[in-house]
Amino acid sequence: MNETEELTGTIEKCIYQHPDNGFTVMVMVISNKQSTIVTGHLAHVQPGQEVTVLGVWKMHPKFGKQFEVRQCIAHNPSTVLGLKKYLGSGLIKGIGPVYAEKLVARFGLDVLKIIEHEPHRLELVPGIGPKRIEKIVAGFHDQKEISSIMIFLQERGVSANFATKIYKTYGAQSLDVLKENPYRLVDDIWGVGFKTADKIALQLGIGLQSIERVRAGIAHAISVTVQGGHLYAELNALKIKTIELLELDPLVIEPIIKQAFQDLYHAEKIKLISVEHEHFVTLSQYYFSEKGIANKIRRLKETQTTIKRFDIDAVYSSLRTPQPGDIALNEDQQRGIMACIQHRISIITGGPGTGKTTLIKKLLSILDENKCTYKLAAPTGRAAKRIQEGTGCFAMTLHRLLEFDFMSMQFVHNEQNAIKTDFLIIDEASMIDVFLAHALLKAVPLTAHLVFIGDIDQLPSVGAGNFLCDLIASCTVATVKLTEIFRQAQDSLIIVNAHRVNKGEFPIAHIPGGKKDFIFIREEDPSTINDHLRTIFARLPSYHIATGDTAVLVPMNRGIVGTHAINFYLQELLNPGSPEKPLVYAGTTYKVGDRVMQIRNNYDKLVFNGDTGTIRSIDSDEQTTVVNFGDREVTYEYSEIDELVLAYAMSIHKSQGSEYAATIIPIFTCHFTLLQRNLLYTAITRSKRLCILIGQTKAIAIAIKNNKGIVRKTFLKEYLTSDLQCR
């Protein structure tokens, strides 16, 4: 059964298609009307198409006799039934099963020629107007181009989804770009990793030890380091990572790596930093981000403000002796207000219930009295909404504050076009990574006061760097820490236990006369988590809490108590059915009504890493899904669906800046590698009205005891306090 044969027939239907590598199982009807199973990389083939396939017969132990395709040549359908299936498959945008029937009924076997050469005639079909014709024609031509790219890539084991992304990025030049420098894919297309680009490169004839491959490997190894939060990699450790990545003999590759480093250095692609006989390397854009932050902070501190001078004595007196009806502040809050007014840059930090929002409200009232302009912003939409609700003043996300220009693919506000304001107040500043911090500081006018509000005991930013902590550690910026828990917050177990965890103490279950807003469910067996979740969600109505305002926060994504497994379960529990056809991608089913999260910054759509929304519609004809993010709706093409994940459960890291009426936090020893005090503290502080902690006492104790965390390799503190330079 191993002799090569050639079969010709029509694809009847697709049984299975792997979203990542394009491996497909299809039913093909051959010329003698018999059907057979064909398998292979056939993502460019659609039901209704006629194909000639070259391959061998195999006997599958479970599914029986199959034809394993080694080569496939697709032809346009030549029968009415084939055309209906082909056009109704959703392959061409604007045509689904209904319009496929209408088009074939009107034009018969000439329908594809009409679409390609006489598209104006499509208006003869009821329901098809100029806009739909434009979409159909564009979809038809796109598909022809994508098919050629798919064939090229799938011969090299690359997925059909990436082929679509590549075509959207490079258009008609896609194959030329791939052949010229396949490593460009890593930088240009989100989701394409080094391994994928390397596979294409090697099959295109780029040598294992080629200097191009080694340079790309070094750049990728640095990027992997940054994905872990660091901005710099120790030079020798980076060399080892690069050798492992390229899977080459260290003795053979050593001189090539040395040459590649020199090439990248002279091309100003990388920067080298030497500190106490240690050598660190980073990509130039990372170095200039940190260095740019330090330089702007120095300039802000050195530049004389043009803002009207405050009557410092009068402000201080009003804080010390508030009038009836005024907000009474404790001494730390008073010091914080004075720091904001007296210093060009200031930081206010403190945990929940310590009065950060109260301080901001009082600061804003003083600014109003003195006719100072101000802007409020936060890294995420949820955080901006919280500060707006807390102060009664308009707040926006940092990305909207900076404004994004689609033509230049840059922020509108920068050094040449600064934000117009006297005071810029940023909440949840611990979430700001070094790149967003740099963009923000570039846009701050030299005359303005800059105030950062945040909780430095939370997890560091999802993105790279350690901006707020480095700023505080430098001792170059006025910093006030709020430590006193306000009386009205002392009866909340959520707040009390957050502070207990932060001090290294185990949570308590009761406060005399206090709220019953914190529940600890002891559970030794992680496999019972779904039973607990089912019970909790059934009882939420008794707390007057909606399921849509409840989040399950988990330390990690993988495993029996990871976000992936819990999301699959909660989807079936909370959104079991949908009248619309679901969308399946990479083993995940997306349905109308599902809660989803954006997992990358997408400036085209103005949705950002961590934004959550709800799927409103799925259109198989248009190959789009619409997600409601609260303030607006965003359309995703099917090829972009990998930017979304289910968000009934999310990692604790991804929950930063958000608050939920109720949070459910499973903590087990299977999360051992990530159990840290700031992780548990961050999770508890996401709760507004109810926090349910589920898990093993031992696992929670491990997290509380572990206060070390991962020290991110950054140099912002040194840039602010010394003349450290790259070389």
Side-chain angles (χ1 to χ4, degrees):
M1 295 180 65
N2 290 320
E3 292 184 9
T4 300
E5 291 188 32
E6 181 181 284
L7 300 178
T8 297
T10 303
I11 297 298
E12 175 71 18
K13 63 180 178 179
C14 176
I15 299 175
Y16 168 80
Q17 188 172 96
H18 194 286
D20 290 335
N21 60 27
F23 177 79
T24 308
V25 180
M26 289 182 161
V27 176
M28 187 177 86
V29 178
I30 51 182
S31 54
N32 58 7
K33 304 300 182 185
Q34 292 182 338
S35 62
T36 188
I37 300 295
V38 294
T39 67
H41 295 286
L42 302 166
H44 62 289
V45 179
Q46 297 296 321
Q49 277 188 294
E50 295 174 9
V51 295
T52 299
V53 293
L54 194 68
V56 295
W57 291 101
K58 297 282 187 180
M59 184 61 70
H60 192 282
K62 183 176 180 180
F63 301 111
K65 189 177 179 182
Q66 300 177 345
F67 191 77
E68 185 180 278
V69 177
R70 305 287 173 81
Q71 185 179 0
C72 175
I73 300 172
H75 315 285
N76 285 335
S78 61
T79 66
V80 168
L81 181 60
L83 282 166
K84 288 179 180 178
K85 286 189 174 183
Y86 176 69
L87 292 174
S89 66
L91 182 72
I92 299 171
K93 281 189 179 181
I95 304 178
V98 174
Y99 280 109
E101 288 278 352
K102 291 182 178 181
L103 284 165
V104 175
R106 181 67 180 82
F107 299 114
L109 299 179
D110 293 329
V111 63
L112 295 180
K113 293 179 182 177
I114 298 295
I115 292 173
E116 185 169 14
H117 301 294
E118 299 179 85
H120 61 277
R121 293 180 60 190
L122 299 180
E123 285 199 69
L124 297 173
V125 176
I128 295 183
K131 287 188 177 180
R132 186 172 291 272
I133 289 175
E134 186 178 337
K135 191 173 292 184
I136 290 171
V137 171
F140 181 80
H141 288 293
D142 282 353
Q143 196 53 46
K144 287 182 69 175
E145 293 284 350
I146 291 170
S147 292
S148 65
I149 298 169
M150 280 185 178
I151 294 168
F152 177 85
L153 290 175
Q154 284 168 15
E155 289 174 350
R156 292 154 179 83
V158 180
S159 76
N161 186 56
F162 284 152
T164 303
K165 287 187 171 187
I166 289 167
Y167 177 69
K168 283 185 64 178
T169 303
Y170 304 125
Q173 285 74 47
S174 296
L175 293 180
D176 292 335
V177 169
L178 289 173
K179 293 172 182 176
E180 179 187 346
N181 179 15
Y183 293 109
R184 278 185 59 183
L185 299 178
V186 180
D187 295 326
D188 294 349
I189 301 176
W190 185 81
V192 176
F194 178 82
K195 290 290 186 183
T196 300
D198 196 40
K199 183 188 296 184
I200 297 171
L202 293 175
Q203 293 203 23
L204 286 172
I206 293 178
L208 280 170
Q209 300 173 21
S210 68
I211 195 72
E212 298 98 320
R213 182 170 185 255
V214 176
R215 283 197 296 258
I218 290 170
H220 179 69
I222 296 173
S223 297
V224 170
T225 299
V226 172
Q227 288 168 15
H230 306 284
L231 283 171
Y232 300 82
E234 196 277 322
L235 185 57
N236 288 326
L238 183 68
K239 287 180 179 179
I240 293 170
K241 280 186 179 179
T242 304
I243 291 169
E244 291 174 351
L245 176 71
L246 300 176
E247 299 178 348
L248 294 172
D249 183 340
L251 295 177
V252 174
I253 197 65
E254 180 65 33
I256 306 173
I257 283 186
K258 184 177 180 180
Q259 181 61 52
F261 268 109
Q262 289 176 352
D263 291 348
L264 290 168
Y265 178 75
H266 290 303
E268 298 189 344
K269 297 287 184 64
I270 63 172
K271 295 290 184 182
L272 296 174
I273 301 290
S274 296
V275 180
E276 297 178 354
H277 307 295
E278 282 191 289
H279 306 293
F280 299 90
V281 64
T282 187
L283 296 181
S284 293
Q285 59 264 39
Y286 304 157
Y287 165 79
F288 284 117
S289 291
E290 271 203 325
K291 196 66 175 175
I293 290 170
N295 291 341
K296 184 59 177 281
I297 287 173
R298 285 200 185 97
R299 290 185 66 197
L300 281 168
K301 293 177 66 178
E302 293 167 358
T303 305
Q304 185 69 39
T305 181
T306 59
I307 298 173
K308 185 187 83 171
R309 292 283 181 179
F310 290 91
D311 186 335
I312 298 299
D313 291 338
V315 171
Y316 183 66
S317 177
S318 71
L319 294 175
R320 298 289 292 175
T321 56
Q323 298 298 312
D326 284 353
I327 302 171
L329 305 180
N330 63 30
E331 289 192 8
D332 285 341
Q333 289 174 309
Q334 294 172 25
R335 288 195 304 110
I337 294 279
M338 297 306 295
C340 295
I341 291 173
Q342 291 178 297
H343 297 275
R344 298 296 306 286
I345 308 174
S346 53
I347 298 172
I348 309 297
T349 182
T354 57
K356 295 191 297 295
T357 302
T358 302
L359 183 154
I360 298 172
K361 287 176 69 176
K362 181 60 178 178
L363 172 62
L364 297 182
S365 71
I366 292 171
L367 297 181
D368 284 333
E369 290 169 8
N370 286 271
K371 295 182 172 53
C372 291
T373 61
Y374 54 81
K375 291 186 183 293
L376 278 173
T380 67
R382 278 183 173 267
K385 184 179 179 182
R386 282 173 50 207
I387 193 63
Q388 182 167 315
E389 291 172 346
T391 63
C393 297
F394 177 72
M396 67 186 86
T397 65
L398 289 175
H399 291 92
R400 292 197 175 172
L401 173 74
L402 297 172
E403 297 181 43
F404 191 74
D405 177 49
F406 296 104
M407 296 298 291
S408 64
M409 296 301 288
Q410 294 179 336
F411 287 118
V412 170
H413 292 294
N414 50 37
E415 302 97 326
Q416 288 75 40
N417 183 27
I419 298 164
K420 291 178 173 59
T421 189
D422 296 331
F423 274 74
L424 183 56
I425 301 164
I426 310 298
D427 196 23
E428 293 285 2
S430 62
M431 294 179 60
I432 302 175
D433 64 32
V434 70
F435 310 118
L436 186 55
H438 186 218
L440 173 67
L441 279 157
K442 285 195 294 184
V444 174
L446 285 171
T447 57
H449 285 239
L450 184 56
V451 180
F452 291 111
I453 315 286
D455 185 349
I456 58 168
D457 294 319
Q458 291 185 24
L459 288 167
S461 59
V462 174
N466 204 15
F467 170 67
L468 190 66
C469 287
D470 285 348
L471 211 53
I472 293 172
S474 73
C475 297
T476 61
V477 174
T479 302
V480 175
K481 184 168 186 177
L482 307 180
T483 57
E484 181 183 339
I485 305 175
F486 273 69
R487 182 174 54 80
Q488 59 266 37
Q490 291 176 2
D491 66 348
S492 167
L493 275 169
I494 292 173
I495 291 176
V496 169
N497 282 332
H499 285 275
R500 286 182 65 87
V501 166
N502 201 30
K503 291 187 290 186
E505 300 170 357
F506 205 87
I508 57 176
H510 177 69
I511 297 175
K515 299 176 183 175
K516 297 179 180 179
D517 57 359
F518 187 97
I519 299 169
F520 174 37
I521 301 173
R522 287 180 173 82
E523 178 56 72
E524 294 299 316
D525 184 1
S527 68
T528 64
I529 187 63
N530 288 348
D531 296 332
H532 286 292
L533 292 174
R534 184 171 60 250
T535 301
I536 291 168
F537 276 95
R539 293 179 179 175
L540 279 178
S542 65
Y543 289 91
H544 305 289
I545 293 175
T547 58
D549 201 9
T550 302
V552 181
L553 308 181
V554 193
M556 59 176 53
N557 294 321
R558 304 288 181 183
I560 191 173
V561 194
T563 61
H564 297 331
I566 292 175
N567 269 319
F568 290 149
Y569 175 73
L570 289 180
Q571 183 188 48
E572 287 305 306
L573 179 69
L574 304 176
N575 189 25
S578 170
E580 296 186 43
K581 185 178 179 180
L583 168 62
V584 180
Y585 175 81
T588 299
T589 299
Y590 297 88
K591 298 184 283 188
V592 172
D594 277 338
R595 187 195 301 177
V596 291
M597 175 185 286
Q598 176 79 10
I599 58 171
R600 69 172 289 240
N601 289 339
N602 187 321
Y603 292 97
D604 288 336
K605 299 182 185 300
L606 285 179
V607 287
F608 303 100
N609 193 353
D611 287 353
T612 56
T614 304
I615 294 180
R616 290 302 184 209
S617 65
I618 296 173
D619 190 328
S620 57
D621 283 2
E622 301 294 328
Q623 298 181 46
T624 58
T625 183
V626 176
V627 179
N628 184 294
F629 285 99
D631 57 344
R632 62 203 184 88
E633 293 191 337
V634 177
T635 300
Y636 291 79
E637 295 186 11
Y638 279 10
S639 62
E640 300 171 318
I641 205 68
D642 58 347
E643 296 184 16
L644 298 172
V645 295
L646 294 177
Y648 299 100
M650 67 187 73
S651 70
I652 295 170
H653 233 125
K654 290 284 190 182
S655 73
Q656 287 178 270
S658 299
E659 269 191 347
Y660 302 91
T663 61
I664 305 163
I665 309 168
I667 301 289
F668 292 88
T669 52
C670 57
H671 301 133
F672 180 80
T673 56
L674 293 177
L675 293 181
Q676 297 172 5
R677 184 185 299 177
N678 59 358
L679 182 98
L680 181 56
Y681 172 74
T682 299
I684 294 172
T685 57
R686 301 307 91 201
S687 315
K688 286 191 290 187
R689 293 167 51 197
L690 179 64
C691 178
I692 301 175
L693 186 61
I694 307 173
Q696 300 155 326
T697 303
K698 179 181 178 181
I700 295 165
I702 289 171
I704 293 170
K705 185 178 179 181
N706 182 9
N707 196 33
K708 294 179 181 178
I710 298 172
V711 179
R712 294 183 170 186
K713 179 49 64 178
T714 62
F715 285 116
L716 180 57
K717 174 186 172 183
E718 287 76 9
Y719 294 147
L720 285 165
T721 57
S722 71
D723 59 353
L724 180 65
Q725 301 286 336
C726 71
R727 63 179 183 85

